[in-house]
Amino acid sequence: MLGSSEARRGVLKRVLFIVMGGLIVAALLWTWFTLSWAYSTGDRAGVLLKFSRKGWVCKTYEGQLALYVVGGVAPQLWDFSTRDPELAARLSQAVGQEIQLHYEEHRGIPTDCFAETPYFAESFTVVSRPGN
């Protein structure tokens, strides 16, 4: 009888190991999928209000764009992130300027270690107004 109890424990340990391994693999695949597949892509234009690198453990690049609809009306603030250090350096230089930002939206990212927002800046151009 003692042998069958030990055999059952061994089987349970193997099943638990397989289930835990499967959950870890599933989490890794989900993370890879959400970071590599874009739900949407687009452009936003506005004044780059702030851009910073922040986080306690996982440092991320985060920015905020002021989207002006009409003069005299408070702007809508739009938060975005980027994972590219070279783009982050260029965005830092453009704070205070009007820019057009190209982004990708990645929904379902499981942790804030990749970014605080689902919107990832891919590139930008400084917008020059006629007469400026």
Side-chain angles (χ1 to χ4, degrees), residues 24-87:
I24 290 169
V25 167
L28 290 172
L29 286 172
W30 178 255
T31 301
W32 171 80
F33 176 73
T34 59
L35 289 173
S36 62
W37 179 74
Y39 173 76
S40 70
T41 60
D43 296 290
R44 300 251 177 149
V47 176
L48 183 57
L49 292 182
K50 65 180 182 175
F51 191 78
S52 60
R53 185 169 186 227
K54 57 200 245 184
W56 292 104
V57 175
C58 303
K59 297 290 189 181
T60 61
Y61 297 103
E62 308 295 330
Q64 190 172 61
L65 209 57
L67 309 173
Y68 292 95
V69 179
V70 290
V73 176
Q76 177 186 358
L77 301 178
W78 184 70
D79 297 318
F80 67 93
S81 307
T82 187
R83 295 173 42 208
D84 181 358
E86 290 177 22
L87 180 61

Side-chain angles (χ1 to χ4, degrees), residues 104-117:
E104 290 184 346
E105 182 180 2
H106 294 266
R107 289 194 176 175
I109 297 172
T111 176
D112 284 350
C113 273
F114 298 103
E116 290 186 1
T117 72

